[in-house]
Amino acid sequence: GVLAVVGFGDPPSPTDPAIHNPLQRVDGGDLVEVWRGDAPIECGQDGDIRYACNDDYLFGVLTVDERVHGDFRTAVEAAYRQLLAFQQRSQLPHLLRLWNYFADITDGEGDRQRYRQFCVGRVQALAAFPARSLPAATAIGRLDRSDTLMLYWLSARQPGIGIENPRQLSASRYPRQYGPVAPRFSRATLTAAGQLLISGTASIVGHASHHHGQVSAQLSETLTNIRALLAEAHRQDPRVPAELGGSSLLKVYLRHRADLPMVSDWLAARLPADCRCLFLHGEICRDDLLIEIEGVHGHGSAP
């Protein structure tokens, strides 16, 4: 019943994971991320897209060489249009969760910054998506200087519900200071099974970054945001646990490797012992943010 195995670092794990995420683990070990389903799995390939699916869920992966498309924005738009065309042909068309990894995420001045260009390409492809249907998402900078944009995603037969954080402005309503278009994603997706898929979450209140240069303060603000998402999801669906715990899996992205001991100890002192964390080294999409945390929470979570 394995939908996807994601391995981290370079070279690939000896287990030869179906998806090789280039980000390095900073906490040692060789754990992989496994997404499981309850039904028999079918694997296949559609053009450049590899996928595995069962009757309820699909996990897909696509890599795109930026150089083929001339510029980064065009590469992003092409990748997303290919992804959406595939999903429209699928029997599991509803996007729940997206992950995006590309190099030099904050390089470039003004609107030429690569994350802003990523947002433009994504919006041009996702323009028809209503806000309520936008998937949860993460965009993190890979550090291997590659020209490859990597996308992978989870979709389902039944649609999810976008969950917004009452402490934060919806990303799709960000003001012009963050780029020519606002990002297009939900803060979390509540699945039909009552599981919460939490987007990359950082020390942002309203739309502004908080606690510049202060790792512990950013951690505290980030956890407050995650707990606000859990409370909102629990309000909408009581099947979602109201607190982090044994059904919670968190992925912590660190801008600086040297912050690991402090971050790990800080989280260990404040999270339940059965709430598991995986620590990765990557660039956050704003220069003033030092950490970002995403997660899976609730029924069906598996390591």
Side-chain angles (χ1 to χ4, degrees), residues 5-27:
V5 179
V6 183
F8 302 96
D10 188 20
S13 162
T15 56
D16 190 25
I19 300 174
H20 173 224
N21 185 316
L23 299 191
Q24 298 281 342
R25 287 192 58 189
V26 292
D27 52 351

Side-chain angles (χ1 to χ4, degrees), residues 41-52:
I41 302 297
E42 173 189 340
C43 297
Q45 184 146 351
D46 185 310
D48 297 324
I49 293 172
R50 292 184 293 120
Y51 67 90

Side-chain angles (χ1 to χ4, degrees), residues 45-211:
Q45 184 146 351
D46 185 310
D48 297 324
I49 293 172
R50 292 184 293 120
Y51 67 90
C53 63
N54 59 23
D55 289 341
D56 298 308
Y57 295 100
L58 178 145
F59 212 101
V61 58
L62 171 64
T63 57
V64 173
D65 187 337
E66 299 175 26
R67 296 167 296 184
V68 172
H69 298 277
D71 64 77
F72 183 54
R73 182 203 60 75
T74 304
V76 173
E77 182 179 358
Y80 267 84
R81 290 196 183 281
Q82 186 175 353
L83 184 163
L84 292 175
F86 168 77
Q87 286 298 131
Q88 289 167 0
R89 298 191 298 270
S90 168
Q91 298 300 308
L92 303 124
H94 300 289
L95 286 171
L96 303 178
R97 185 66 167 88
L98 279 156
W99 291 265
N100 307 269
Y101 298 98
F102 53 92
D104 305 320
I105 192 168
T106 58
D107 283 11
E109 296 296 323
D111 289 346
R112 300 307 302 172
Q113 185 207 51
R114 280 171 60 83
Y115 179 67
R116 295 187 179 194
Q117 288 294 296
F118 167 79
C119 289
V120 172
R122 177 170 59 178
V123 162
Q124 288 175 329
L126 292 177
F129 263 69
R132 189 71 168 163
S133 300
L134 287 170
T138 295
I140 290 288
R142 54 191 294 174
L143 301 173
D144 58 356
R145 313 298 295 181
S146 170
D147 292 309
T148 299
L149 165 67
M150 180 177 207
L151 307 176
Y152 50 88
W153 65 93
L154 179 69
S155 69
R157 186 175 300 277
Q158 298 184 62
I161 298 172
I163 302 293
E164 291 300 318
N165 184 344
R167 303 184 77 243
Q168 295 179 313
L169 187 67
S170 170
S172 61
R173 296 173 56 205
Y174 273 11
R176 177 63 177 84
Q177 72 192 76
Y178 297 105
V181 300
R184 295 277 287 173
F185 65 92
S186 64
R187 300 293 182 185
T189 298
L190 178 60
T191 73
Q195 189 175 56
L196 191 66
L197 308 176
I198 302 168
S199 290
T201 304
S203 179
I204 295 172
V205 181
H207 58 74
S209 302
H210 281 232
H211 314 298

